[in-house]
Amino acid sequence: MNKKYLPLFQPFTFKSGIETDNRIVMAPMTNFSSNEDGTVSDDEVAYYVRRSNGVGMVITACTYVTLNGKGFDGEFGGHSDEMIPSLRRLASAIKGEGAKVILQIFHGGRMAPPHLVDGDVVSASAVPAEAEGSPVPRELSAAEVDEIIKAFGETTRRAIEAGFDGVEIHGANGYLIQQFFSPHSNRRTDKWGERLAFPLAVVDEVKKTVAAYAKTPFAVGYRFSPEEPETPGITMADTLELINALKEKDLDYLHVSLFEFWSKPRRGVDDSRSRLEIIQERAGDKVPVIGVGSIYTADDALKALSTGVSLIAIARGLIIEPDWVQKVENGQEDQIVTKIDKNNQDKLVVPDPLWNAIINTPGWFPGV
Ligand SMILES: Cc1cc2nc3c(=O)[nH]c(=O)nc-3n(C[C@H](O)[C@H](O)[C@H](O)COP(=O)(O)O)c2cc1C
């Protein structure tokens, strides 16, 4: 290995005691490939196995905590105890390759496609997303909000029973937790209209569940998107408030969701640094940060790590190049593939639904 990449290969220990061998994380990626009944499919397991023996940690695709939170065709379920064997199969397969494994837990809220939720699309308030044709969601009752919070705890219990090393609370990308934090989608006048209330209640419920059930170290992370383009919408100032609150929750990590690691704030702060530098400063020593966004080469990862973030997550880059970590480790970093090879689906071990989504969405993956 070229010695300059050694910082990428330092082990990392989270507060909970979970330890990774290196600083590279597979970012959560939905693959649309689970079975109809919500169980994990053979193709999906093969896809994860292909990518789990170099990275320090794998964060799985999101899983729904209640049936009315299912956000994607071919998303696997974490909503009932019947799913525990399926979850266990996924966790064991990934751990068998040497990586730590984190289950991303989720509710789609107003982004759930109506056909997946019997047409009953729900959210904080009856405000549709801005994309044309978005359904008007039904505002959740206070009792339903309580049930969904409990469901995040229940899915965490299942993750513990299934052998995961932790859960990541999916508070990013416009889904239900973010919908409660956003002034665009949360116009409530009850206690849940306080925009931090729901995200923090979910964190508390998950932490309480871990304290009650985990007998060995179990990590809890939280993922968020720092800004929304809509007006009104989440600003960097809102996000700094969210971080202040999350810092007090004894979390293992914060994971920022971005497509570009070096992207700059749109509004809310008078600061010309990148969002991740600002977020890292605010998180300080209190909670480690995972950065992400268009990291394809070893030098990209090294430069990103120099901002002080603790770990680097890679999404598209690991679909394109499953041997990313091994190539850096073996001094072959110049052989890392950075554009998808459209003739190589079998070798890349990518299930058909994900592969079709990739090759039919121009501009999403480099090379398409
Ligand atoms: C195919 C695909 C599926 C994704 N699914 C999820 C998901 O389930 N949960 C999530 O938080 N982010 C999801 N993302 C976002 C990625 O985790 C990541 O933040 C984004 O792709 C930027 O990283 P990259 O530049 O390394 O691809 C997905 C991205 C891709 C490409």
Side-chain angles (χ1 to χ4, degrees):
M1 188 203 314
N2 183 329
K3 285 211 169 55
K4 77 170 171 172
Y5 298 122
L6 274 174
L8 299 174
F9 290 87
Q10 298 304 304
F12 186 79
T13 307
F14 291 101
K15 251 183 226 162
S16 59
I18 294 293
E19 192 178 338
T20 67
D21 292 344
N22 60 51
R23 302 302 175 104
I24 304 297
V25 174
M26 180 169 166
M29 279 185 283
T30 290
N31 54 53
F32 319 107
S33 305
S34 308
N35 297 319
E36 274 293 306
D37 63 359
T39 55
V40 170
S41 67
D42 295 349
D43 286 355
E44 206 173 6
V45 171
Y47 154 87
Y48 278 108
V49 164
R50 180 69 186 87
R51 292 169 171 78
S52 301
N53 72 25
V55 297
M57 181 164 105
V58 171
I59 304 168
T60 67
C62 60
T63 186
Y64 46 96
V65 301
T66 60
L67 275 177
N68 69 359
K70 185 166 182 175
F72 305 94
D73 284 301
E75 178 181 353
F76 65 87
H79 63 298
S80 79
D81 282 2
E82 281 169 35
M83 295 292 131
I84 293 174
S86 152
L87 295 172
R88 183 175 294 126
R89 183 176 174 220
L90 181 61
S92 317
I94 294 171
K95 289 209 297 189
E97 298 300 309
K100 294 293 184 293
V101 59
I102 305 288
L103 181 69
Q104 192 184 50
I105 56 177
F106 153 99
H107 188 296
R110 70 181 184 181
M111 302 304 284
H115 74 272
L116 291 181
V117 294
D118 283 337
D120 188 27
V121 178
V122 298
S123 186
S125 299
V127 180
E130 283 195 351
E132 226 183 279
S134 299
V136 179
R138 178 175 66 77
E139 176 171 312
L140 288 162
S141 69
E144 287 175 308
V145 175
D146 288 337
E147 278 167 29
I148 291 174
I149 292 165
K150 288 220 167 61
F152 274 96
E154 283 289 279
T155 301
T156 301
R157 174 181 57 74
R158 292 177 196 117
I160 294 166
E161 286 183 32
F164 281 87
D165 295 300
V167 291
E168 176 172 289
I169 299 168
H170 191 351
N173 301 355
Y175 301 113
L176 186 68
I177 296 177
Q178 182 173 324
Q179 288 161 31
F180 271 91
F181 185 53
S182 166
H184 187 276
S185 34
N186 187 348
R187 315 271 171 106
R188 297 177 74 102
T189 51
D190 65 358
K191 69 172 181 176
W192 301 112
E194 204 285 284
R195 293 193 282 119
L196 275 168
F198 183 78
L200 297 182
V202 171
V203 171
D204 288 343
E205 184 71 21
V206 167
K207 293 283 295 179
K208 196 175 87 183
T209 306
V210 173
Y213 291 96
K215 299 196 175 64
T216 52
F218 190 86
V220 179
Y222 187 102
R223 192 171 211 209
F224 61 84
S225 296
E227 293 191 79
E228 288 178 332
E230 295 90 354
T231 304
I234 295 168
T235 67
M236 270 307 276
D238 293 322
T239 287
L240 294 177
E241 284 303 310
L242 174 68
I243 296 170
N244 283 347
L246 292 175
K247 271 162 78 167
E248 304 307 317
K249 295 291 177 188
D250 199 32
L251 290 164
D252 283 273
Y253 67 85
L254 301 180
H255 186 181
V256 183
S257 180
L258 285 172
F259 269 95
E260 174 47 60
F261 188 97
W262 297 99
S263 65
K264 301 214 162 159
R266 188 183 275 123
R267 58 188 171 181
V269 286
D270 187 15
D271 197 324
S272 60
R273 291 175 300 164
S274 65
R275 290 158 163 162
L276 264 162
E277 286 169 295
I278 298 167
I279 289 165
Q280 171 59 42
E281 178 182 79
R282 182 59 62 105
D285 305 334
K286 273 259 182 148
V287 56
V289 173
I290 305 182
V292 71
S294 298
I295 305 291
Y296 291 103
T297 68
D299 284 324
D300 291 344
L302 194 62
K303 184 168 171 226
L305 203 62
S306 75
T307 57
V309 301
S310 297
L311 297 130
I312 305 296
I314 302 178
R316 290 166 295 177
L318 282 169
I319 291 191
I320 296 168
E321 176 56 271
D323 296 321
W324 197 100
V325 174
Q326 290 87 335
K327 286 192 173 168
V328 183
E329 228 169 357
N330 298 333
Q332 299 168 316
E333 61 277 359
D334 55 343
Q335 290 170 37
I336 290 176
V337 182
T338 57
K339 285 194 169 75
I340 195 111
D341 179 349
K342 285 200 252 178
N343 301 314
N344 229 352
Q345 182 190 357
D346 288 349
K347 255 182 117 180
L348 293 176
V349 194
V350 177
D352 289 341
L354 175 57
W355 187 258
N356 291 334
I358 292 169
I359 60 172
N360 291 313
T361 314
W364 191 21
F365 275 61
V368 184

